[in-house]
Amino acid sequence: YSRPKPGKDGNMLLHNKVAILTRAASGIGRAVAIAFAREGANAFFRNLNESGGRETVRLIEGTLNACSEFLRADASRPDDHE
């Protein structure tokens, strides 16, 4: 594993930060997770859609060579937040 390098001006807005997201298995949530990873964040997200979540991880880690982790969880269930 190697982090993406900062851009030509040396800036990555989220370099070495952690982004905790929900609903990143598709659509706007996936786009946000990818954008955060592109800016240097480690993306951690939860969603009910396991196949979509795994695909988002594959996109982030494979395309951006960045760190990402997915956990299947239901945001409406308090037990899934522990």
Side-chain angles (χ1 to χ4, degrees):
Y1 167 74
S2 67
R3 291 291 304 144
K5 302 295 184 227
K8 291 179 183 175
D9 61 358
N11 292 326
M12 286 182 88
L13 296 175
L14 302 172
H15 186 65
N16 289 332
K17 304 291 184 193
V18 175
I20 301 172
L21 307 156
T22 60
R23 310 216 22 129
S26 64
I28 293 170
R30 176 180 282 167
V32 169
I34 290 169
F36 281 17
R38 186 174 289 125
E39 288 297 329
N42 295 314
F44 175 80
F45 58 96
R46 303 180 330 167
N47 199 289
L48 279 174
N49 179 348
E50 188 161 357
S51 64
R54 302 258 176 247
E55 176 65 11
T56 301
V57 168
R58 188 192 67 73
L59 290 168
I60 290 171
E61 292 184 347
T63 305
L64 300 173
N65 197 28
C67 183
S68 180
E69 186 171 336
F70 165 75
L71 173 67
R72 185 185 182 285
D74 183 346
S76 69
R77 295 180 48 103
D79 290 346
D80 282 2
H81 298 290
E82 296 178 359

